[in-house]
Amino acid sequence: MSSALRSGDLLRMSSLFVRTLREDPADAEVASHKLLVRAGYIRRAAPGIYSWLPLGLRVLGKIETIVREEMNAIGGQEVHFPALLPKEPYEATGRWTEYGDGLFRLKDRKQADYLLAPTHEEMFTLLVKDLYASYKDLPLVIYQIQTKYRDEARPRAGLIRGREFVMKDSYSFDVHDEGLEAAYQKHRDAYERIFTRLGLEYVIVSAMSGAMGGSRSEEFLSPSPIGEDTFVRSSGGYAANVEAVVTPVPEAVPYDDAPAAHVEDTPDTPTIETLVACANERHARPDRPWTAADTLKNVVLALRRPDGKRELLVVGLPGDREVDLKRLEAAVAPSEAEPATEEDFKAHPELVKGYIGPQVLGPQGAQVEGDDGEKRSAVRYLLDPRVVPGTRWITGANEPGRHVFDLVAGRDFTADGTIEAAEVRAGDPAPDGSGPLELARGIEMGHIFQLGRKYADSLGLTVLDENGKQAVVTMGSYGVGVTRALAALAEANHDDRGLAWPARIAPVQVHLVATGKGAEVFEAAERLADGLVAAGVEVLYDDRPKVSPGVKFADAELLGAPLLVVVGRGLKDGVVEVRPRAGEAEQVPVDDAVTETVRRVEELLEN
Amino acid sequence: MSSALRSGDLLRMSSLFVRTLREDPADAEVASHKLLVRAGYIRRAAPGIYSWLPLGLRVLGKIETIVREEMNAIGGQEVHFPALLPKEPYEATGRWTEYGDGLFRLKDRKQADYLLAPTHEEMFTLLVKDLYASYKDLPLVIYQIQTKYRDEARPRAGLIRGREFVMKDSYSFDVHDEGLEAAYQKHRDAYERIFTRLGLEYVIVSAMSGAMGGSRSEEFLSPSPIGEDTFVRSSGGYAANVEAVVTPVPEAVPYDDAPAAHVEDTPDTPTIETLVACANERHARPDRPWTAADTLKNVVLALRRPDGKRELLVVGLPGDREVDLKRLEAAVAPSEAEPATEEDFKAHPELVKGYIGPQVLGPQGAQVEGDDGEKRSAVRYLLDPRVVPGTRWITGANEPGRHVFDLVAGRDFTADGTIEAAEVRAGDPAPDGSGPLELARGIEMGHIFQLGRKYADSLGLTVLDENGKQAVVTMGSYGVGVTRALAALAEANHDDRGLAWPARIAPVQVHLVATGKGAEVFEAAERLADGLVAAGVEVLYDDRPKVSPGVKFADAELLGAPLLVVVGRGLKDGVVEVRPRAGEAEQVPVDDAVTETVRRVEELLEN
C-alpha cells in the first residue's frame, strides 16, 4: 500500500473489554499511571506488576513493531531467550552476587538455583560462543524483545519503574574496536529513529564519566518532571546524566607564599556558617570574604561491597557542596553507600564528629594491611577534584572545638584519590567549556553501552582472528524500555481530560461516536466504520445504544485516540463532525466523511 | 493483496545467526528435538528451557499469528497477564497447594510469596470481576499468548514437555450454561481451523469421563508414536484419551442359585496363573475353564492428597487386568498415587500380601472416624466397574496359602464405590457401542474445557442477571500449546535428511542456493532473490562463496524450507532448478524463475 495505513480493524465499545474509571486509582501518583489505569489500558496485579488489557496491548504492540523494524533495518537478527535461567552463567560474571536484592532468585524442584533474568548479557555471550568460532562470522547484532524482571526496592509510577517489564535488548559482537564503534553508532542512529517515530522528545546524555575508562555509554532520556534521572545540559550542546558529569579540574595554585597551617580554638562554631563568620572576624581578607567554599568538609560514609564487606570512606569536598549519593554510588559501583554508624565512630576514635580534618585520614592516618598484603589507609580518603594542590582550606583539627586554618592541599595533606561525589549545581561550568549547566529530569528510555571485552573475557568468548589467533570478542549492549516508553508517551501526551496519543502508537486512529436515539444515526455510523476499516483505518466505534453523549465524549477523551468522529445531530443536515483530540471540530459532509477522515489519519501518521 | 503471500524478506546464509550441526545433540531422543537443535532453531539453556534462534522464532511467530487470527475471528480479545504473580489468588482456589512441586515458587525482597504462573484461570477471573458487573457485559472471550512455567519432574523431548513454554490460553465468561456451550463450540471450531491451517493432523478426544459430572472437556491430539498421551478410538467414531474411557458396565447377574462362598487351602498358588490352574483342577467347569478374569485381584496403593495427607486405597479388579496409574490418578486427582510401603502393611496386619480379599476391606473391614466425625472404612475399597452384583470370584482369604471361591459381589461383599483404574486394552468395547477400541499415542496440542462455576465461585465472580439478581458466572478454559505445536509439526514433517516444513509455517518459503565459482552465478541468484522478495516471497539465500554445493544442499534439507531453488551449472544453458523439499527437481528457464517460483509458493500456501 502506498499510504502509511496498514490493515484496518473495528473495535466496538459495546463489547470491548474495558471499563473506564472516573476516579484516580489510590496508589497512582503520576499522570501516566492514573490515566492508563482509568482508561482501562492496564491493571495492577502486584506492586510493579501489571496486566495488559486490549487497548494497552495494542499500543505496546505498535511500539514493539517500530522497535523491531528499526532493529531489523540495522541488520539486527531477532532471537528470544528464556526469562527463567540457571545461576551458573551469572555466577561466572559475578552478577549473581552483584545484583543483590534486585534479583528474583528461586530454586527448582531439584533445589537447583535459578533466576528471573534482569538482563541477558551472559546468555547472548554464551550463545555466540556456542555457535561462532571465526572472525568471519562477525560482525553480529542480535536482539530480543522480551519480558525482564527486577525486584525493585521501590517500584513506582506505574510502568515507569516496574518489576516485570518488556525490554528490547540487543548486543553487538566484533573482533576489533572499530567494529564496536560502528555497531554503537548504528544503534545510536536507530534509537534516534525509534524515538522520533514514536513521537517522543528525547535528549541523548553521556552516561559514564570519561574518567572511568574508555568505554562509551549514552542514555536516551525523555525530559519529564516525573523522571527519575537528573541530567544536565549546556547551551553549547553538552548533555550528561548527573552521575556522568565530570568536574572541570582547576589548575594547581602555587603555594610557596602560603602561610603555615595553624590550629585555633573555635568555640561556638558548630556549623559551617558559624565557622565562616568566625574566620571573617578573625582573619578578614582584603579582596573577598571567606565563604563556605573555603572550608573543607569531610563526610564519613560506609561502603558495602557486593560480597558483603563494609569499609569506611571519607569524602573531602568544599563546604558549600553536599555529597550526592547517586553520584557517589555511580563512582563506587557495584558497592553501595550508607551512612556511617555510631559503631563506626567508636571503632575510629580519631574521627571527631564535626571536627574531622585530613590530618588523620588517608595517607596521613593510620595504615592497615589489606587482603593482598599491601599497606593501605585505615580510613580511605577521597577528595573532590576541586581540591587541587595549593588550595588553602579551613577544616577540622580533629579535636572538639578546634579548627585548622591555611591547610594547603599537596603541602599539608594528600588523599587516596579523587571522587566525583559532590552535587552538580545549575550554573556549574560544563566540562567541555560549552557554558553553564542547567539541570532537568528525564525518564530513561534507552541506554547504549560499549561493554568491551568484560563479558567475553569472563565467559571465554573468543574467535580466530585474521591471523589465526584466538581473539577476545568486543561487545556492545543496547536497551530500549518498551513498557517504559509507553508510559513516557502517556506522560508526554495527555491533558486534564485524558490521554492524547500520537497517531502512530494510538490503539486506534479513529474513535467514532454515534449519539442520538434514531436507528439512522447508528446505521450511518456503522457504514462509516465499515468504510474506514476497508480503507485501512483502525476504528473504535462507540455503538452503545443507551449511553449518553456526555459519557461517550468523556470516554473518548480519556481513551485518547487522535481523531474523534461524531455521527449525531448533524446527520439530518448531512454532516458529521471530525475533531482532532486536541483541536477544533469541523463539519464534514457525510458523503465525504470516509475520504476526509482517511486523509486526516494519513496526515497524522506521516507527521 | 489477492494472493496468500504477505511481505517478502531476504535472509542471507552468510550472515544469518545459525550454525548447523551434523551430529545429534547428546540429550535428544526424539526427531523434532534433534533436528530443531541441529538446524539451529533452538538451543538448550537449562533442562526443559530453550533459547530461540532467528529461524525458530520465525516459525513460532507464524504459529502465533495463525492462532491469533482464529481467536480474533471468534471475537476473542487479546490481553496479557504477568508471568510473575502473587500467591493469594492461587491460594483462594487451592491451586497454590494442589500444584505441588510442579509450581515454581519464589519470594520477593519483602519475603512475599510469588509464583510463575502455570496457567491463569485465577487472574482472568479476577480481572473480569474487577471490570464487569452485569450480564449485559457478557458473553466475553479473552485470551493471551504468553509464556508459562511448570516445574516438570521429567522435562523431555525438547519442546514437547518443557518448563518454560508459550501457550495461548483463552477463557469464556457467560451467565447461562447455553452461553458456555456456544463459547465451547466456537473454540472447538476455531481449534479445528487452527490445526488445519498449521497443517497438523489431529484427533479430537474426550478428555473427561462423563462419570465425573456434566462438564465437557476435549483434547486435540496430534497422533505420534512419541506422544505422551495414549488415546483410543473405535471405527464408529468414538475417541477419548485413555484416562477418559468409561468402562461399559455389564448387567448384574442373578445369584440366587450361586453356591455359598467357601475357603480352601491353596498351597503353591503364589501367582494368579497357579491359582487359576488349581481352580481348573479342583472345580472344573463344564462350559469353559476358569481364567484370570475370574479372579479378583486387590491392589493396595497409597494416595497422597495435596495437603500432604496420605491414605490407603485398595482397588479390586479382574485378575487379567493391571491398574493403569495414569487412569487411577485421573480418577483421584488432585491426589497422587504411590505404591504401598512395608510400613503400610505393618499398620494394617489384616492385609495379607498375596492373599488379600474383600472380607477385610471397605464396608466389610474396620471402620474409623473421619475428619468430619463420620464413620468410614479404615481401608477404602473401590471396585472396577466390571465387578457388578452377582459376579462370582476367586480371591484371597486374608490368610497365607488360602483363597475363597464363589465369593459373590453384592451378596458376600460390597465396596466404597467404583473406580476407573483398570488398563484399557485394544479390543475393549467402546463405551458408546461403536465397536472395539484401538490404542494410539498422541501429542496434546490443545485442550478445551467447560470449567463451569468452580473458579467464579472460589473468587466471587458474579454479575447482575436479567432479573437483577447476582448470578455466578460460568466459564470455559481453552489452551493451545504454541511451542509444542511447533515441535509436533517438526515431528510430523521431517525425514532422514532434516526438517520439511509446511509452507505456511516454514521460516522462509524459498531456500535459494547459488553453486559454482563464477560471479555470474551469484549475480543471477541475487537478481532472483530480489525478484522473489519484491513479489512477497520470504527467501533464505545461501550466498556463501566458499562453501561446497554438497554442504549447501545438506544445510537446505536440514533447515527444511518447502522449496529449493538452485542457481548453478544450468545457468549457462539459461535454466535454474526448482525442487520441492520432498519432490522432483525441475529445470525452469531463468527468465521465468521468479514467476514460476512465486506460482509454486502460492500453490503451497493455499494447500
Side-chain angles (χ1 to χ4, degrees):
Chain A
M1 287 172 236
S2 64
S3 98
L5 289 169
R6 299 194 180 184
S7 66
D9 68 346
L10 178 62
L11 309 181
R12 288 170 186 278
M13 201 66 182
S14 61
S15 57
L16 181 65
F17 187 51
V18 72
R19 179 66 68 243
T20 55
L21 307 174
R22 296 288 163 248
E23 301 293 325
D24 288 333
D27 63 334
E29 288 167 8
V30 303
S32 60
H33 187 189
K34 289 175 189 170
L35 291 172
L36 289 169
V37 172
R38 281 184 45 202
Y41 282 66
I42 58 170
R43 270 287 190 288
R44 181 181 177 278
I49 302 178
Y50 290 85
S51 302
W52 293 84
L53 274 63
L55 294 177
L57 196 58
R58 286 174 73 103
V59 177
L60 195 64
K62 290 186 181 193
I63 297 174
E64 288 181 7
T65 298
I66 288 174
V67 171
R68 183 172 283 122
E69 287 173 355
E70 295 299 340
M71 289 310 301
N72 292 346
I74 62 166
Q77 301 187 54
E78 189 170 358
V79 298
H80 196 89
F81 283 91
L84 179 63
L85 291 174
K87 171 178 69 169
E88 290 70 21
Y90 288 77
E91 215 168 27
T93 58
R95 298 211 298 176
W96 174 261
T97 309
E98 273 176 27
Y99 261 110
D101 285 346
L103 194 64
F104 284 107
R105 297 179 182 81
L106 66 158
K107 286 181 188 290
D108 75 357
R109 63 160 73 214
K110 293 182 173 164
Q111 299 305 308
D113 283 309
Y114 282 79
L115 57 93
L116 298 181
T119 165
H120 280 81
E121 276 80 358
E122 286 81 354
M123 298 306 292
F124 274 84
T125 309
L126 288 173
L127 188 60
V128 174
K129 180 183 175 181
D130 188 11
L131 264 63
Y132 278 0
S134 161
Y135 74 96
K136 291 180 199 162
D137 297 322
L138 304 182
L140 172 69
V141 173
I142 43 182
Y143 75 96
Q144 62 177 347
I145 297 176
Q146 199 253 8
T147 304
K148 303 240 177 295
Y149 296 86
R150 293 191 194 160
D151 197 358
E152 296 286 350
R154 284 168 295 279
R156 65 173 281 275
L159 303 177
I160 303 275
R161 180 166 293 275
R163 299 199 294 168
E164 174 174 318
F165 53 93
V166 178
M167 260 188 77
K168 185 284 296 176
D169 50 331
S170 49
Y171 302 85
S172 65
F173 299 85
D174 289 275
V175 187
H176 301 296
D177 295 347
E178 310 83 70
L180 170 56
E181 187 59 41
Y184 183 90
Q185 190 59 45
K186 276 203 290 187
H187 273 89
R188 197 176 193 275
D189 297 344
Y191 279 30
E192 296 216 51
R193 287 190 294 272
I194 287 169
F195 295 117
T196 302
R197 285 180 66 186
L198 290 177
L200 197 55
E201 194 201 338
Y202 63 91
V203 184
I204 306 178
V205 304
S206 298
M208 187 183 285
S209 129
M212 285 192 63
S215 289
R216 208 170 146 201
S217 170
E218 288 166 296
E219 285 173 4
F220 287 71
L221 301 181
S222 167
S224 166
I226 67 120
E228 300 196 305
D229 285 55
T230 305
F231 68 97
V232 300
R233 48 184 163 183
S234 74
S235 57
Y238 176 81
N241 76 18
V242 84
E243 288 85 349
V245 174
V246 184
T247 307
V249 180
E251 281 194 36
V253 182
Y255 54 81
D256 290 349
D257 301 339
H262 63 282
V263 172
E264 294 183 19
D265 281 327
T266 50
D268 303 323
T269 57
T271 64
I272 289 179
E273 204 169 49
T274 49
L275 176 62
V276 167
C278 166
N280 278 318
E281 198 173 301
R282 294 192 192 165
H283 307 283
R285 283 193 295 203
D287 51 345
R288 59 198 163 91
W290 300 100
T291 70
D294 296 305
T295 68
L296 180 66
K297 175 159 72 175
N298 293 297
V299 179
V300 187
L301 295 149
L303 299 186
R304 187 173 292 281
R305 302 198 325 218
D307 63 9
K309 287 202 180 155
R310 207 164 166 282
E311 64 166 336
L312 282 197
L313 169 68
V314 176
V315 175
L317 73 171
D320 64 332
R321 304 234 168 210
E322 300 298 329
V323 166
D324 177 333
L325 265 182
K326 282 179 91 170
R327 274 171 57 76
L328 174 78
E329 290 203 323
V332 300
S335 293
E336 290 178 3
E338 53 190 39
T341 61
E342 287 304 321
E343 281 70 42
D344 291 325
F345 282 101
K346 273 187 200 149
H348 289 277
E350 73 272 30
L351 303 178
V352 181
K353 259 200 218 178
Y355 299 91
I356 300 171
Q359 304 86 333
V360 299
L361 303 171
Q364 291 82 224
Q367 302 288 300
V368 293
E369 196 167 302
D371 298 345
D372 51 7
E374 293 282 311
K375 284 267 181 197
R376 60 176 52 128
S377 308
V379 178
R380 208 165 141 221
Y381 186 45
L382 297 175
L383 282 169
D384 182 76
R386 293 171 190 84
V387 187
V388 291
T391 48
R392 283 161 62 185
W393 302 95
I394 306 169
T395 189
N398 303 302
E399 295 174 76
R402 304 191 65 170
H403 283 92
V404 57
F405 290 74
D406 293 322
L407 199 72
V408 174
R411 180 189 75 179
D412 302 324
F413 69 98
T414 59
D416 298 308
T418 60
I419 186 166
E420 290 287 356
E423 59 179 330
V424 176
R425 291 197 299 230
D428 281 351
D432 63 355
S434 62
L437 297 176
E438 60 171 65
L439 271 76
R441 300 184 74 81
I443 301 169
E444 184 189 339
M445 310 303 318
H447 196 162
I448 54 179
F449 197 84
Q450 297 191 3
L451 289 177
R453 297 186 167 81
K454 172 182 166 176
Y455 287 91
D457 260 332
S458 306
L459 298 165
L461 169 59
T462 62
V463 292
L464 280 184
D465 70 9
E466 299 86 335
N467 306 314
K469 291 194 177 146
Q470 290 294 337
V472 177
V473 169
T474 182
M475 292 169 54
S477 148
Y478 317 89
V480 170
V482 175
T483 35
R484 192 182 278 172
L486 187 147
L489 281 160
E491 205 56 57
N493 298 281
H494 72 271
D495 59 21
D496 292 349
R497 303 187 306 277
L499 298 160
W501 297 109
R504 285 204 199 90
I505 56 112
V508 294
Q509 295 134 1
V510 170
H511 193 121
L512 172 64
V513 168
T515 67
K517 287 177 182 163
E520 66 282 5
V521 166
F522 290 93
E523 284 160 13
E526 198 81 40
R527 278 194 304 275
L528 181 48
D530 289 346
L532 291 172
V533 171
V537 177
E538 299 166 343
V539 180
L540 170 55
Y541 169 32
D542 195 341
D543 59 342
R544 292 174 293 178
K546 292 181 183 171
V547 172
S548 77
V551 168
K552 288 186 176 182
F553 292 142
D555 278 346
E557 296 197 305
L558 179 57
L559 297 184
L563 214 54
L564 176 67
V565 176
V566 184
V567 182
R569 276 182 309 189
L571 189 64
K572 63 180 187 311
D573 306 320
V575 294
V576 301
E577 189 180 296
V578 178
R579 190 202 306 170
R581 170 64 178 80
E584 292 300 310
E586 194 184 318
Q587 306 300 318
V588 174
V590 76
D591 292 341
D592 302 343
V594 170
T595 318
E596 173 61 15
T597 307
V598 168
R599 188 190 64 72
R600 287 183 175 231
V601 168
E602 287 179 331
E603 201 176 278
L604 286 168
L605 287 173
E606 275 149 25
N607 277 343
Chain B
M1 290 175 235
S2 65
S3 99
L5 288 170
R6 298 194 181 184
S7 67
D9 68 345
L10 178 62
L11 309 181
R12 287 171 186 277
M13 201 66 182
S14 61
S15 57
L16 181 65
F17 186 52
V18 72
R19 179 66 69 242
T20 56
L21 307 173
R22 296 288 164 248
E23 301 293 325
D24 289 332
D27 63 334
E29 289 167 7
V30 304
S32 59
H33 186 189
K34 290 175 189 170
L35 291 172
L36 289 170
V37 172
R38 280 184 46 203
Y41 283 65
I42 59 170
R43 269 288 190 286
R44 181 181 178 279
I49 301 179
Y50 290 85
S51 302
W52 292 84
L53 275 64
L55 294 177
L57 197 59
R58 287 174 72 102
V59 178
L60 195 64
K62 291 187 179 191
I63 298 174
E64 288 181 7
T65 298
I66 288 175
V67 171
R68 183 172 284 122
E69 287 173 356
E70 295 299 340
M71 289 310 300
N72 292 346
I74 61 165
Q77 300 187 54
E78 189 170 359
V79 297
H80 196 89
F81 283 92
L84 179 63
L85 291 175
K87 172 178 70 170
E88 289 71 21
Y90 288 77
E91 214 168 28
T93 58
R95 296 211 298 176
W96 173 261
T97 310
E98 272 175 27
Y99 261 109
D101 285 345
L103 195 63
F104 284 107
R105 297 179 182 82
L106 66 158
K107 286 181 187 291
D108 74 358
R109 62 160 73 213
K110 293 183 173 164
Q111 299 305 308
D113 284 309
Y114 281 79
L115 58 93
L116 297 180
T119 166
H120 280 80
E121 277 79 357
E122 286 80 354
M123 298 305 293
F124 274 84
T125 308
L126 288 173
L127 188 61
V128 174
K129 180 181 175 183
D130 188 10
L131 265 63
Y132 279 180
S134 160
Y135 75 96
K136 291 179 199 162
D137 296 323
L138 305 181
L140 172 70
V141 172
I142 43 182
Y143 74 97
Q144 62 177 347
I145 297 177
Q146 199 253 8
T147 304
K148 304 238 177 294
Y149 296 87
R150 294 190 193 161
D151 197 358
E152 296 286 350
R154 284 168 296 278
R156 66 174 281 275
L159 303 177
I160 304 275
R161 178 166 295 275
R163 298 199 294 168
E164 173 174 317
F165 54 92
V166 178
M167 260 189 76
K168 186 284 295 176
D169 50 331
S170 48
Y171 301 86
S172 65
F173 299 85
D174 289 274
V175 187
H176 302 297
D177 294 348
E178 310 84 69
L180 170 57
E181 187 60 39
Y184 183 90
Q185 189 60 44
K186 276 203 290 187
H187 273 89
R188 197 176 192 275
D189 296 344
Y191 279 29
E192 295 217 52
R193 287 190 295 271
I194 287 170
F195 295 117
T196 302
R197 284 180 67 187
L198 290 177
L200 197 54
E201 194 200 338
Y202 64 90
V203 184
I204 306 177
V205 305
S206 299
M208 187 182 285
S209 129
M212 284 192 63
S215 291
R216 209 173 145 198
S217 170
E218 287 167 295
E219 285 173 4
F220 288 71
L221 302 180
S222 167
S224 166
I226 66 119
E228 300 197 306
D229 286 54
T230 306
F231 67 98
V232 300
R233 49 184 163 183
S234 73
S235 57
Y238 176 81
N241 77 16
V242 82
E243 288 86 348
V245 173
V246 183
T247 307
V249 181
E251 283 194 33
V253 181
Y255 54 80
D256 291 347
D257 300 337
H262 64 282
V263 172
E264 295 183 20
D265 283 326
T266 51
D268 304 322
T269 58
T271 63
I272 290 179
E273 202 169 50
T274 50
L275 176 63
V276 168
C278 165
N280 278 317
E281 199 174 300
R282 295 192 192 166
H283 307 282
R285 282 194 295 203
D287 50 344
R288 59 201 164 88
W290 300 100
T291 70
D294 296 304
T295 69
L296 180 66
K297 176 160 71 176
N298 293 297
V299 179
V300 187
L301 294 149
L303 299 186
R304 186 173 294 280
R305 300 196 328 216
D307 62 9
K309 288 204 179 153
R310 206 164 167 282
E311 65 165 334
L312 282 195
L313 168 68
V314 177
V315 175
L317 73 171
D320 63 331
R321 302 234 169 210
E322 300 298 330
V323 166
D324 177 333
L325 265 181
K326 283 179 89 171
R327 275 171 56 75
L328 173 78
E329 289 203 324
V332 300
S335 292
E336 290 178 2
E338 53 190 39
T341 62
E342 286 304 320
E343 282 69 42
D344 291 326
F345 283 100
K346 273 186 202 149
H348 290 276
E350 74 271 29
L351 303 177
V352 181
K353 259 202 220 178
Y355 299 91
I356 300 170
Q359 304 86 333
V360 298
L361 302 171
Q364 292 82 224
Q367 302 288 301
V368 292
E369 196 168 303
D371 298 345
D372 51 6
E374 294 281 310
K375 284 269 182 196
R376 60 176 52 128
S377 307
V379 177
R380 207 163 141 224
Y381 187 45
L382 297 174
L383 282 170
D384 183 79
R386 293 170 190 84
V387 187
V388 291
T391 50
R392 282 161 63 186
W393 302 96
I394 307 169
T395 189
N398 303 303
E399 295 175 75
R402 304 189 60 158
H403 282 92
V404 59
F405 290 75
D406 293 322
L407 197 73
V408 173
R411 181 189 74 182
D412 301 324
F413 69 97
T414 59
D416 297 307
T418 61
I419 187 168
E420 290 286 355
E423 61 180 329
V424 176
R425 291 196 301 229
D428 281 351
D432 63 356
S434 62
L437 297 176
E438 60 171 66
L439 271 76
R441 299 185 73 82
I443 301 168
E444 185 189 339
M445 310 303 318
H447 196 161
I448 53 178
F449 197 85
Q450 298 191 2
L451 290 177
R453 298 185 167 80
K454 173 182 164 175
Y455 287 91
D457 260 333
S458 308
L459 298 165
L461 169 59
T462 62
V463 292
L464 280 183
D465 71 9
E466 298 87 335
N467 307 313
K469 292 197 176 140
Q470 290 294 338
V472 178
V473 168
T474 182
M475 292 169 55
S477 147
Y478 317 89
V480 170
V482 175
T483 34
R484 193 181 277 173
L486 186 148
L489 281 160
E491 206 57 57
N493 298 281
H494 73 270
D495 58 23
D496 292 349
R497 302 187 306 278
L499 298 160
W501 298 109
R504 285 205 198 90
I505 56 114
V508 294
Q509 293 135 0
V510 170
H511 192 120
L512 172 64
V513 168
T515 69
K517 286 177 184 165
E520 67 282 4
V521 166
F522 289 92
E523 285 160 13
E526 198 82 41
R527 278 194 303 276
L528 181 48
D530 289 345
L532 291 173
V533 170
V537 177
E538 299 165 345
V539 179
L540 171 55
Y541 169 32
D542 195 341
D543 58 343
R544 292 174 294 178
K546 291 181 183 171
V547 172
S548 76
V551 168
K552 289 186 176 182
F553 294 141
D555 278 346
E557 295 197 304
L558 179 56
L559 297 185
L563 212 55
L564 176 66
V565 176
V566 185
V567 182
R569 276 181 309 188
L571 189 63
K572 63 180 190 309
D573 305 320
V575 295
V576 302
E577 190 180 295
V578 178
R579 190 202 305 171
R581 170 65 179 80
E584 292 301 309
E586 195 185 317
Q587 307 300 318
V588 174
V590 77
D591 292 340
D592 303 343
V594 170
T595 319
E596 173 61 14
T597 307
V598 168
R599 189 190 64 72
R600 285 183 177 230
V601 169
E602 287 180 330
E603 201 176 279
L604 286 169
L605 288 173
E606 273 149 26
N607 277 343

